[in-house]
Structure formats: C-alpha cells, structure tokens
Amino acid sequence: MGAVKQVAAAVRWNFLGFYKNPRVVASFMFSFILCFFLSERAMMVADYYDSSMQALEPFIWTFGDATAILLCSLLLILLFLDLPKLSPFTPYMLLRMKKSRWLLAQFFYIFLVTVLYMLYVVLATSILCMQKTYAGNIWSKTAALLAYSNMGKDLSIPSTVKVMESTSPLSCSMQITALLICYALSLSFLMLFFQMKLGKKAAVGAGLFYSLFGFLLNPDVLAKILRKEEYEMFLMRRVAGWLSPLNHATYGMHDFGYDVLPSIGQSCIVFLALLLLLLSLSFYTLKKYNFNSFTGD
C-alpha cells in the first residue's frame, strides 16, 4: 500500500496546475480547432447524401486517417513538452521513493492525460456534428453509402464493407481510441527518454522524427521512391503497415480477414513492446541522471 500511495502522490503532483497551464489550454484549444476542420469531411458527406450519422461516426471517419493522426500527435508533442516535470521538489520525492516508482508515476500521468485528451477529441467531434447524428449503435445509411461507393476512398474515410461487417460503431471507435492511446504513449515515452538523456530540444526532435518517419512510410510515397507499379502496391502496403508506427495507429491499415496486414491486437503488442523498451531505457537513464539540473546548480 505504501508503494501505491507514493505513486499516487507523484501522479497528483504532476497534475498540480494542469488545467491552468497555458500550454495545456492551448493544446486543447488547438485540438478543438483541428477537430472542427477535420470533421468537415463527415459533415460534407452527410450534407451530400442528406442523411444522418451515428454519433461516433464523425470521430471514426476523422481519426481513421493517418494524416489526422499525425496532426493530432503534433499537438501531443506540445502537451507533453515538459516531461518529466522537474522542479527543486523532485529530488526530495526521489529520496523518499524508489526511482522505479517515480518513473511508474510518470507512466500513469502520461496515460491519464492521453486518455483525457482522446475522450476530449471524441466529444469534440461528436458535438461539432451533433445536428446530423443519432445515438444508436448501428451504422448509418451514410456509412453504408460510403462503403458501397468510391467517395469514402476518395475522402480517405475508413467506412468500407469489411469494416461494417466486422464491427459496430462503438467497437470501431474503441479500437481507434486504443490505437491512438498506444501511439500517444509510445510518442510521449520516447520524448521522456530523450528529455532525460539529451535535453528538451532532443526530446522535441525525437517526437517530430517519430511522427514524420511514420508519415513518410506511406505506401504511395514508398511506391514513388522505389518506382513500384500499381500491381506491386499490395507489397508497399504490407511493408508500410508493419514498419510504420503511424500506420499501426491507423485503423484502415489493419487486417480484416482479407489483407496481409497487422491485426489490431498485433499492433497493440508492437506498441507494448516499444513501450517496455522505452521504459527500460528511461529507467537506466534515470539511474545516471544528473540531479543538479533539477535545481539549476
């Protein structure tokens, strides 16, 4: 119980001033603006067909796309810019508790903030499109029309026959949220490791590289670089689907029984393995950290 109380106390300390922090407020404001612009596709489709949508479909159609996830991750870099939260009080905490518990507290803080951020995104997209939505857990007529036409593909909307056959809107949104949380945790812990190892500039650079690396491993981009023909695109999609963290976080880049791509569970395992690696490296770095930097000496 003592260990649990120590970890909980460190998590509470991390949340002190969280809601009044200008950087956090700016991150959530920019996120709402991002949802406003990205959800325009969903509203355009509903207006085009003059039909309603299930309440979670705007979120599914918005964040089932790699570009939207990339933009969302850039805001997460801003949100976690101060990881780990260091102050003259930090050495005192580390003297009163094991370093592994302090690092575990950072993990729970990142996890809770990430979940809060994703729930905010789901709520924002639902509110922005609420005039055209309903609450039932059934795919809408709009989704069915998109699945049986080329319009969904042209707008990069993951509403396809195989998605509608394999899951419900609630289940689909939960899977997308889980993938986004896994991606955000790996991004945040990568920044945490580089922050402790090389400093804040290196942490920001690592976060940007992690995001852009996944974006550049786009099947279409790879095909152009490697000069692949159209019939070889299945190989590009397979390579990008397995190697790119961003594609692991993209719902449409997964296997639904017809493709040789990672399943949702396999992507979660990949992120878990990456998290364990970053956690181990962070703990090793923490043991050799120069604590004079906490106090500015």
Side-chain angles (χ1 to χ4, degrees):
M1 287 298 294
V4 174
K5 289 182 179 179
Q6 287 180 342
V7 172
V11 172
R12 285 197 301 271
W13 181 84
N14 278 357
F15 271 106
L16 288 178
F18 178 81
Y19 300 104
K20 297 180 181 179
N21 190 321
R23 179 178 39 76
V24 174
V25 174
S27 298
F28 278 84
M29 287 180 62
F30 285 134
S31 177
F32 187 85
I33 295 171
L34 177 65
C35 290
F36 175 78
F37 285 109
L38 293 179
S39 61
E40 184 180 0
R41 290 182 302 176
M43 289 301 297
M44 182 174 63
V45 170
D47 290 337
Y48 180 83
Y49 288 117
D50 192 24
S51 59
S52 60
M53 301 176 288
Q54 203 276 339
L56 293 171
E57 284 178 3
F59 169 73
I60 294 169
W61 297 346
T62 299
F63 290 95
D65 177 52
T67 303
I69 296 172
L70 174 65
L71 295 173
C72 186
S73 69
L74 294 179
L75 290 176
L76 282 171
I77 292 175
L78 175 63
L79 188 61
F80 290 121
L81 201 57
D82 63 343
L83 285 176
K85 296 186 70 174
L86 309 180
S87 76
F89 182 67
T90 306
Y92 173 76
M93 282 199 304
L94 289 169
L95 287 173
R96 298 294 301 271
M97 62 191 298
K98 294 181 179 179
K99 293 178 180 178
S100 57
R101 294 176 185 174
W102 181 83
L103 192 60
L104 185 62
Q106 306 308 306
F107 174 83
F108 280 117
Y109 169 73
I110 293 171
F111 176 76
L112 291 174
V113 172
T114 302
V115 171
L116 176 65
Y117 179 78
M118 292 307 165
L119 290 176
Y120 172 81
V121 168
V122 174
L123 182 63
T125 53
S126 298
I127 290 176
L128 287 168
C129 301
M130 64 184 304
Q131 291 183 341
K132 290 279 187 177
T133 60
Y134 60 89
N137 190 25
I138 302 173
W139 291 106
S140 67
K141 179 182 177 182
T142 307
L145 291 170
L146 283 170
Y148 288 97
S149 69
N150 290 326
M151 190 173 180
K153 182 178 179 181
D154 295 339
L155 294 174
S156 299
I157 293 175
S159 178
T160 62
V161 176
K162 56 187 178 183
V163 171
M164 296 179 66
E165 288 178 347
S166 61
T167 185
S168 64
L170 178 60
S171 176
C172 184
S173 62
M174 290 176 65
Q175 292 176 55
I176 291 176
T177 302
L179 291 172
L180 288 173
I181 289 174
C182 288
Y183 180 76
L185 287 175
S186 62
L187 171 64
S188 305
F189 248 84
L190 180 69
M191 292 180 63
L192 174 66
F193 166 66
F194 273 90
Q195 167 78 333
M196 293 192 296
K197 187 73 174 178
L198 300 172
K200 182 173 291 186
K201 291 182 179 179
V204 174
L208 291 174
F209 176 80
Y210 183 76
S211 299
L212 294 177
F213 169 75
F215 182 73
L216 292 174
L217 275 179
N218 181 281
D220 296 325
V221 175
L222 277 180
K224 290 179 180 178
I225 294 174
L226 300 176
R227 298 181 179 180
K228 296 295 184 180
E229 301 295 335
E230 181 65 29
Y231 69 91
E232 296 176 298
M233 281 301 295
F234 78 95
L235 180 61
M236 294 297 98
R237 282 191 289 270
R238 186 185 305 179
V239 172
W242 281 99
L243 294 183
S244 168
L246 184 61
N247 284 324
H248 275 291
T250 305
Y251 185 79
M253 289 296 294
H254 288 84
D255 195 315
F256 297 98
Y258 308 95
D259 312 301
V260 188
L261 291 169
S263 65
I264 302 292
Q266 287 171 331
S267 289
C268 290
I269 291 173
V270 169
F271 281 123
L272 178 61
L274 183 58
L275 272 175
L276 290 175
L277 174 62
L278 291 172
L279 188 64
S280 301
L281 291 173
S282 298
F283 180 69
Y284 179 77
T285 303
L286 181 63
K287 291 195 297 184
K288 298 186 176 183
Y289 197 88
N290 180 14
F291 292 101
N292 289 334
S293 60
F294 285 115
T295 58
D297 295 338

